[in-house]
Each structure stands twice: as C-alpha cells, then as structure tokens.
Amino acid sequence: MNSEYTGVVEFLSPVVEIYKNFQWDSYYVAPDVHGYQLLGFGTVAIYGLVGVVCFALAWLLYQRRASERAGDVVAFKWLRPVFRYGVALCSGLTLGRLLYALLWENLFQAGNFADVLPMAICLAVAAVVGYYAASMLLEKSLRVFRGSLPGVAAVVAACVLICVGTSMDLLNVEGYVPEMEDIDTVRIYASDMVGENPTLSAKDHPEMVEMALDLHRAIVAQADEIKANNDRIHTVEYSNGVPREYSYQFLRIEYTMKDGTRLQRRYPLYLKREAWEQETGFEGAFKALFTSSDFQMRQVLGYPEGELDMVYVYNYSSDKNSDDLDTDRIYEALLKDAQAGNLYDYDPFDGYYNDSYPISIDIQYRIREENGYDGYSRRYSSVSLRPTMTFTLQELLDQEFITQEDLQQWAEERGLKVDYYGNKIPVTVEIAG
C-alpha cells in the first residue's frame, strides 16, 4: 500500500482513507502557545457504520441460505484448536499491527521505536476478534461467548508475551552478530558515505570485515542507549534542527553467509560528536571503519584488485579532458592518496566534508571472466576530485591540467557556505599543491 495513492477509487479502501484522514494537527491558542486536536473522527465513524451495515446484511443473507451452514469449516476435530488459535494469532500480528499504525503510531509514538504497551493492547484486541471470528466459523453460530474466557486469556497472554519478548530480545534476534568464520561477504551502506557501497570478502578483506563486525557488536552492546537517544533527539530537538553535537546516519549491514543465507541489519543512528572525537563507543568503531584507507579505496576506487584498463579525466569548468595526460601517473597518485587516507575527509559533523572540485576521474578495470567480452568483464568507478587529495592535485598541477589560479577560484567559490539555519558563514581558503 502506498499512502500517497490518489486514485478515484481509494475511498473503497477504509485503511487508506483512515490512514490519510485520522491524524493530529496543531493550532495557536495564544502567541507562542500551541493547542492540539485530532482530526478525522467522521471518517472513522462512516466506515464503522458501513461495517455495521455490511455485517447486518451478511447475517440476514446467512439466515436465508441454509446451504451456507452445511458442512464443517474444519473436517478434523483435532485441527479445530489449531484453526481457532492460528486465526487469532494471524489476526493479532496483521490487523493488530495495522490498528497500532492507525490509532497510535502516527499520533502518539515518540521516536522510531514502537511503544510496548499500546502495541500489546492493539495486538490483543485484534487477536480476540480473530479468536471469536474463528469460533463463529467453527460453531456456525454467533453464540460463542459463553465459556470462552480461558481461550481469550490465552490469546491475550500470547500477544503480551510476543511484545515483551520482542522488546527484551528473548530469542537474541537483535543481539545476534555472526561469527567471522561463517561469513562470505559483507556489504556496507551509510547515509553520508562517498562513492560505492563496497562488498567486502571475508577471505580477501578480513581486516575490514572484522572492523564491520566490531561496529555491529558495538551497536548491539549500546542498543538501549541508541534507542533512548533516537527517541530523545527525535521528539525534543529534531523539530528545531538536529543539534550540531549529533550527526544522523542510517547504517545498513548485509551479510552473505557461507551457507548461502543472508542477514541484513538496519540502524538509525545519532552519532555523538564527543564520542566521535574521543573514538569511543559505537562512534569510535564507526570512525575506525569509515576513515580507514582500505575502506576508502574500496569505496572510491572501486575494484583495485582488477587490471587497470583506462583512466579518463574531465574538467567541467574548462571542458578539457585527459587526451594529452599521462593517466598512469594520475592513477598512481590516486593510489597514494588512498593509502594516505586522502580520498575524502570523512566527517559526518561537517555538512561540507564531501565538497569537490569540478573535475571527475573515471576509471575502468577489467577482470578475467570466461563469459565476458574478449575474456574479461569491465567494472567502472568515478572519482570526484576533492581538496584532500593532495597527491592527485599535485600530479594534475605538474601535468598542467589545472593551475593554481583554478584552485584559487574554486576555493573562493567555496568561501561562503550556508549553515544548518540558513546563515552564510566565511571559511578559510586552503590551496593544495
């Protein structure tokens, strides 16, 4: 379901209409004083009335057609409790989750994580409805309430156990981190990363895979603190702009295991500047991975284990290209920058760390592959020239592809920046080379 759908028949879907109309709004009751109100009760009431009418019509039709009451829904008696409690469980997990989204998540939930008690209540209400619906089907009667309290209590207890058990991670799903010997590859993605999302082989890149595991373990160890920070920052400070001592990063880690299975974890993280600078906690593990020269090389240069096939440099400001350049020397300079950790200055607290000059360096590799054209397959990477890439900048200066005047102009163009609140601020002009 896409909540942005605007088709002419969406009124036929109560879920879409209620989701769209049942919400909260704010208004001024006095200068600088907000009041809040719930909107969309009329929509809920209309669909509730439609539901009552449909139920009444169904009951009348059911009374008039005796054939609908012939036969059993479940032929084997020993399957009857499986059916009853199975329908209750499915109803709780699906309709209950939907009920939580409609009645609580968009209106009252604080932060990114569900509230245990409201979720348990929504699951229990939906599961009880499913329990009685299944009972009515089995008994072919609406009179199923007498003597049903033990079954209803079991259903409610199961819903509470599911919510509390998930919140406490009783099955160690949230806390699970795979072992190094079980991993084939790891793929890393984060919001502000530069270049490719590298896939790291445990066989060929064990050090980087171990750093990825260290980051995963650190996040798991600080899970409660991370959740508390997410909720606090999201509800208290996000409306006025995330404070500068925090940097929001969405991290995704994808494991491919040696047995062919896959494991994916996604984390909304607020990095703390103090922990980042002191290299402690999960921020320290995050920094160790994302600032490592090997990881930068995999991100920016892409496939250095392949055979270099072509390097092409283009200057967008002057429309010059690399036809007259010694591109092998340029690639060697790129490798030096990679080894020195100069491909970019990863700093998630500086919104401008990824500033680049108007020059791109396209790299083509060829990798031996029997089914590829001429026995090879091609891989491509594109590198933006950044102020931190001192070896590459010097090589381009030496080959007169760029000049000191170009660097001065580009630096001056970057001399006024706009901060988070829209204020223009001057910065120090730095010239490489």
Side-chain angles (χ1 to χ4, degrees), residues 35-165:
Y36 299 91
Q37 61 182 345
L38 285 174
L39 305 175
F41 281 110
T43 302
V44 177
I46 290 172
Y47 284 107
L49 180 60
V50 171
V52 171
V53 172
C54 288
F55 182 85
L57 291 174
W59 186 81
L60 290 173
L61 289 172
Y62 185 74
Q63 297 301 312
R64 292 178 60 86
R65 292 182 60 89
S67 62
E68 298 295 335
R69 299 195 295 272
D72 294 322
V73 174
V74 176
F76 301 97
K77 288 186 177 181
W78 62 271
L79 275 177
R80 289 167 64 90
V82 175
F83 177 78
R84 179 180 282 114
Y85 290 104
V87 170
L89 177 63
C90 291
S91 177
L93 293 178
T94 54
L95 298 182
R97 176 64 183 88
L98 179 60
L99 191 64
Y100 178 87
L102 292 176
L103 300 182
W104 189 268
E105 185 172 14
N106 287 341
L107 301 175
F108 307 111
Q109 179 177 303
N112 296 306
F113 302 96
D115 300 316
V116 176
L117 180 59
M119 178 69 81
I121 293 173
C122 290
L123 262 61
V125 169
V128 169
V129 171
Y131 176 87
Y132 281 123
S135 298
M136 291 175 186
L137 287 171
L138 290 171
E139 304 301 331
K140 291 175 287 186
S141 172
L142 299 180
R143 300 175 181 178
V144 295
F145 300 101
R146 180 177 296 179
S148 63
L149 287 182
V152 169
V155 166
V156 172
C159 291
V160 172
L161 179 61
I162 288 172
C163 290
V164 174

Side-chain angles (χ1 to χ4, degrees), residues 128-233:
V128 169
V129 171
Y131 176 87
Y132 281 123
S135 298
M136 291 175 186
L137 287 171
L138 290 171
E139 304 301 331
K140 291 175 287 186
S141 172
L142 299 180
R143 300 175 181 178
V144 295
F145 300 101
R146 180 177 296 179
S148 63
L149 287 182
V152 169
V155 166
V156 172
C159 291
V160 172
L161 179 61
I162 288 172
C163 290
V164 174
T166 302
S167 177
M168 297 178 64
D169 194 27
L170 294 180
L171 299 180
N172 196 38
V173 175
E174 181 182 284
Y176 173 69
V177 179
E179 299 294 333
M180 182 72 170
E181 58 267 21
D182 299 327
I183 298 172
D184 184 25
T185 61
V186 181
R187 185 175 175 85
I188 307 290
Y189 167 85
S191 303
D192 287 347
M193 68 189 301
V194 173
E196 304 289 333
N197 304 328
T199 299
L200 312 172
S201 167
K203 178 182 178 181
D204 300 328
H205 315 104
E207 296 85 1
M208 282 188 284
V209 172
E210 191 60 50
M211 284 195 289
L213 287 172
D214 287 341
L215 173 57
H216 192 173
R217 295 186 191 104
I219 291 172
V220 167
Q222 294 178 253
D224 292 339
E225 177 186 345
I226 290 171
K227 292 176 185 177
N229 275 339
N230 280 8
D231 287 347
R232 181 178 65 83
I233 296 170

Side-chain angles (χ1 to χ4, degrees), residues 261-307:
T261 59
R262 297 180 64 190
L263 175 70
Q264 182 180 115
R265 291 290 182 266
R266 292 176 287 181
Y267 299 106
L269 303 171
Y270 284 99
L271 309 180
K272 290 180 293 185
R273 179 187 288 276
E274 181 180 4
W276 177 271
E277 293 174 348
Q278 296 178 0
E279 300 183 4
T280 59
F282 77 89
E283 291 92 344
F286 199 107
K287 184 176 183 179
L289 175 62
F290 279 82
T291 60
S292 70
S293 59
D294 288 341
F295 192 70
Q296 286 193 5
M297 181 180 294
R298 293 293 305 181
Q299 281 181 268
V300 180
L301 298 189
Y303 308 91
E305 72 276 6
E307 180 182 340

